């Protein structure tokens, strides 16, 4: 059976959601409407020379200039550009699954969860395993300087993705620790998608943080937003 990658499915789903909400809908990206977010996605894929501005301050002004220019295009043109995927010359075309799974899943939820009445979606075990891997890789990178030992795990019990199935079993997810073993211990319990959103700084998430207050304070002091 032909099964499109999670990155491709989230791209299609995000475009559909944006068509429903319209260009002026709010998002969880502070100060950005759906139009602003769409323009960002187009520039990120079509202008690799400027996309590094996401992480390199020296290029951020160039990236913002291009994003503002792109945002002036007709709404349907922006959505069509996203739906068609990276242009042939973009490195992201060859690395779509690797580079875009988290990008499109997180930004899709940015649009969904900014509205009223949203609910968590269900994903199958293969998708959850993929998201758990991504979330823990990003967590190790972003939390490496936190002076605390942070244990990441999925919940057990009624909050599992399918009735009667334990989330840990569904994702083959083992607990993951970051930080020094003797540092204050903080436990973060979240389903894979919730953990991914949390580590990218989103606040409309279902995440349980507990443990040593000194460690929690250290975690809170580290910016996770992008």
């Amino acid at each position: 059976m032909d099964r499109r990658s999670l990155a491709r499915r989230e791209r299609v789903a995000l475009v559909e959601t944006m068509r429903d909400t319209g260009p002026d809908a709010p998002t969880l990206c502070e100060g950005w409407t759906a139009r602003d977010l769409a323009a960002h996605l187009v520039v990120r894929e079509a202008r690799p020379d400027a996309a590094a501005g996401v992480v390199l301050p020296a290029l951020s002004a160039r990236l913002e200039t291009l994003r503002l220019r792109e945002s002036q295009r007709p709404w349907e043109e922006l959505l069509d550009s996203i739906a068609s995927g990276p242009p042939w010359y973009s490195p992201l075309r060859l690395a779509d699954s690797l580079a875009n799974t988290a990008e499109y899943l997180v930004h899709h939820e940015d649009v969904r969860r900014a509205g009223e009445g949203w609910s968590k979606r269900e994903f199958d075990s293969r998708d959850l395993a993929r998201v758990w891997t991504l979330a823990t890789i990003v967590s190790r990178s972003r939390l490496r300087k936190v002076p605390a030992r942070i244990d990441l795990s999925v919940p057990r019990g009624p909050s599992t993705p399918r009735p009667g199935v334990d989330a840990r079993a569904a994702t083959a997810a083992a607990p993951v620790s970051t930080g020094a073993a003797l540092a204050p211990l903080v436990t973060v319990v979240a389903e894979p998608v919730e953990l991914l959103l949390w580590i990218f700084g989103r606040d409309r998430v279902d995440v349980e943080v507990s443990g040593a207050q000194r460690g929690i304070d250290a975690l809170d002091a580290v910016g996770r937003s992008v």
Side-chain angles (χ1 to χ4, degrees):
M1 182 178 70
D2 179 23
R3 174 182 167 87
R4 293 177 298 175
S5 69
L6 179 57
R8 181 60 189 170
R9 283 179 279 130
E10 285 300 299
R11 179 191 296 274
V12 172
L14 171 58
V15 170
E16 291 177 353
T17 298
M18 284 182 160
R19 289 192 199 279
D20 289 340
T21 63
D24 298 323
T27 74
L28 296 187
C29 300
E30 186 175 357
W32 278 9
T33 63
R35 178 184 292 278
D36 294 316
L37 177 54
H40 160 77
L41 292 170
V42 171
V43 172
R44 174 181 174 271
E45 294 188 326
R47 294 298 301 266
D49 58 317
V54 173
V55 293
L56 298 177
L59 297 177
S60 61
R62 172 65 172 161
L63 176 62
E64 181 63 5
T65 296
L66 291 172
R67 189 192 66 78
L68 290 173
R69 182 185 305 167
E70 197 71 23
S71 69
Q72 302 305 308
R73 290 173 58 190
W75 176 236
E76 289 300 323
E77 284 187 15
L78 282 174
L79 296 185
D80 288 344
S81 293
I82 297 171
S84 63
W88 64 269
Y89 55 81
S90 173
L92 295 179
R93 192 170 188 88
L94 297 177
D96 185 60
S97 182
L98 179 64
N100 284 332
T101 300
E103 181 80 7
Y104 278 90
L105 177 53
V106 170
H107 285 320
H108 186 195
E109 292 300 321
D110 282 337
V111 179
R112 292 185 70 254
R113 299 190 183 204
E116 298 296 329
W118 64 270
S119 60
K120 291 190 290 186
R121 293 181 290 157
E122 288 192 357
F123 294 83
D124 68 26
S125 59
R126 284 179 292 179
D127 288 341
L128 289 174
R130 170 67 171 152
V131 175
W132 175 257
T133 298
L134 286 171
T136 53
I137 289 173
V138 175
S139 295
R140 286 192 180 100
S141 173
R142 295 195 165 208
L143 302 178
R144 68 185 185 281
K145 295 183 178 180
V146 177
R149 172 188 159 193
I150 304 169
D151 284 0
L152 309 171
S153 63
V154 295
R156 296 183 180 275
S159 59
T160 53
R162 293 173 183 267
V165 178
D166 182 84
R168 195 184 306 277
T171 63
V176 171
S177 292
T178 72
L182 299 180
L185 174 62
V186 176
T187 299
V188 178
V189 180
E191 295 169 2
V193 172
E194 302 302 302
L195 178 62
L196 183 68
L197 294 169
W198 176 80
I199 199 60
F200 275 108
R202 276 44 177 188
D203 56 5
R204 294 193 182 183
V205 291
D206 183 10
V207 174
E208 180 183 338
V209 179
S210 61
Q213 189 60 49
R214 184 157 59 96
I216 294 174
D217 292 341
L219 179 59
D220 288 343
V222 174
R224 289 176 286 106
S225 61
V226 292

